[in-house]
Amino acid sequence: MEPQIATTPFGGRPFTLDDVATRRHARERPAGARVGKWQVFRWISIARQQLGLGERALAVLNALLSFHPETYLEGARLVVFPSNEQLAIRAYGMAASTMRRHLASLVDAGILLRRDSPNGKRYARKGPGGVIDLAFGFDLSPLLARAPEFEQRAAEITAEKEALCRVRERISLYRRDIAKMIAAGFEAELSVPAAASAPDWPGLHHRFRTLLGCLCTRPGRLELEALAADLADLADLVLKCLECHSNSSKLSTSESQNEHHIQDSKQNSSDLEIREEKEGKETPDIPPGPLGAKPSLQPLSLVLEACPDLQDYAREPIRDWRDLIAAAAIVRPMLGISHAAYEDAQRAIGPAHAAALVAAILQRGTAIQSPGGYLRSLTARACRNQFGLTPLLNALVRSHHRAAQARQE
């Protein structure tokens, strides 16, 4: 006579319609089904969020699979019956109460089935020849029955992550290209053609930073695809603006550039640092200030970690404070910060500290409506010892870490 296997769980555990569906699905699995136990575990690990499982639930599942003696799940003998003590050891010393909670989550997710004995204990009975005839514990048959579903979920999630990675790569390339092309046009003092949607290079830069503003809102792949398309259009527009002047051998001394200099003398005079560098003059020495005459590498590395966007505008990789100051001089007029405001900040808190503030303002993007007024406000607060750069940089670093974690999830 066939042994009686209980359908409902032992004790006060409830029996739900989900349990009925899981048992029916496991019972109706295709004949001859076979799957590697560690392969299905990897699929479940990839799809764990869709299945409502945490990392510790996966650790318990990993421990249960280790008690199955075969590499593959097949046939009808798929019940494992470890004691709580042995299961806790293989679950990396997990507490018994925590382990029970995660076992329940695996059952609720339809990953496991309970095969409870009359007294709720887990054990097996052997028949003639020492072969296990009846076992009470956790049935792994749902893993075998749902293996195609887990495989499909994992494939879809993997494909989505790959597509997301590709669109982020495209956005990174567009960001670098647009930033450097706008910096080149601004430094060469080129005029923007009338066909462009912005009157000048700062206007194009503002449009660029506005597009990048949506990156702070944890967009999905569809939103990133739309952003990549907008950045592609902007990159084509900026490139066409540069190509309009590509036939001139010396753009900085052409007649059209002299006219632009007369019409926009205020903007060009605010870019004195850039022109001095182009003429071969040395960058002024950094006077003692809040960051000191010789800033240590660690504060500079903090600035670069907190404000990675500044690197897009630098001619060379930023390796020291002089490189940082030169890059900030390129970005400052694009942000609409006047030369007078920047000079006041340099005198009050030092060139290095002022450059770091410009980098932070650039990184925050459209969150700052008036970069020039924001710089003056922070400068005034720093003079009254009411503002420090380190907390601002640390906040930016934390926001980067949160965004990276959100992308991984």
Side-chain angles (χ1 to χ4, degrees), residues 61-89:
L61 178 60
N62 178 81
L64 284 172
L65 288 173
S66 70
F67 286 100
H68 183 67
E70 305 297 332
T71 304
Y72 289 89
L73 301 177
E74 57 183 335
R77 300 182 182 276
L78 296 176
V79 178
V80 293
F81 43 90
S83 65
N84 285 338
E85 181 181 0
Q86 292 300 316
L87 183 58
I89 290 174

Side-chain angles (χ1 to χ4, degrees), residues 248-296:
S248 177
S249 58
K250 294 183 179 180
L251 296 174
S252 61
T253 58
S254 65
E255 180 179 355
S256 62
Q257 295 308 311
N258 291 335
E259 290 179 5
H260 178 69
H261 179 77
I262 295 172
Q263 294 172 1
D264 197 10
S265 60
K266 181 179 180 180
Q267 173 179 304
N268 293 329
S269 65
S270 68
D271 201 22
L272 180 61
E273 299 93 338
I274 302 173
R275 294 204 306 277
E276 287 179 348
E277 183 171 342
K278 290 167 62 179
E279 293 168 2
K281 296 183 180 180
E282 295 184 356
T283 305
D285 291 336
I286 301 174
L291 295 179
K294 294 182 178 180
S296 62

Side-chain angles (χ1 to χ4, degrees), residues 99-249:
M99 188 172 62
R100 285 194 296 270
R101 186 171 67 253
H102 292 301
L103 283 170
S105 69
L106 290 169
V107 173
D108 293 341
I111 306 297
L112 301 175
L113 275 176
R114 292 185 186 273
R115 299 294 186 186
D116 287 344
S117 66
N119 62 359
K121 302 295 184 180
R122 295 192 287 270
Y123 60 88
R125 287 179 179 171
K126 295 183 179 179
V131 178
I132 294 178
D133 184 49
L134 181 63
F136 297 101
F138 292 101
D139 192 346
L140 304 178
S141 57
L143 294 174
L144 180 58
R146 298 180 63 187
E149 174 196 343
F150 297 145
E151 182 180 13
Q152 182 179 358
R153 284 177 183 251
E156 292 174 353
I157 292 173
T158 301
E160 179 69 17
K161 286 185 177 180
E162 290 177 354
L164 189 63
C165 181
R166 287 195 295 268
V167 70
R168 287 188 178 277
E169 288 175 350
R170 289 170 53 203
I171 290 174
S172 296
L173 293 175
Y174 284 136
R175 288 180 62 178
R176 184 182 66 194
D177 289 348
I178 294 172
K180 290 187 178 294
M181 287 191 294
I182 290 178
F186 197 95
E187 287 187 80
E189 302 178 359
L190 302 179
S191 59
V192 176
S197 57
D200 50 19
W201 292 103
L204 288 173
H205 184 258
H206 178 72
R207 177 181 170 186
F208 172 51
R209 299 304 302 179
T210 301
L211 287 176
L212 296 184
C214 68
L215 290 176
C216 301
T217 60
R218 298 177 62 178
R221 183 176 62 85
L222 296 179
E223 290 81 1
L224 290 177
E225 290 282 1
L227 174 61
D230 291 339
L231 289 175
D233 293 340
L234 181 58
D236 291 341
L237 175 61
V238 175
L239 182 59
K240 289 178 181 178
C241 291
L242 295 177
E243 288 175 344
C244 290
H245 303 273
S246 61
N247 295 328
S248 177
S249 58

Side-chain angles (χ1 to χ4, degrees), residues 366-382:
T366 55
I368 300 175
Q369 298 297 324
S370 176
Y374 187 70
L375 178 63
R376 286 189 181 276
S377 174
L378 293 185
T379 302
R381 290 173 56 191

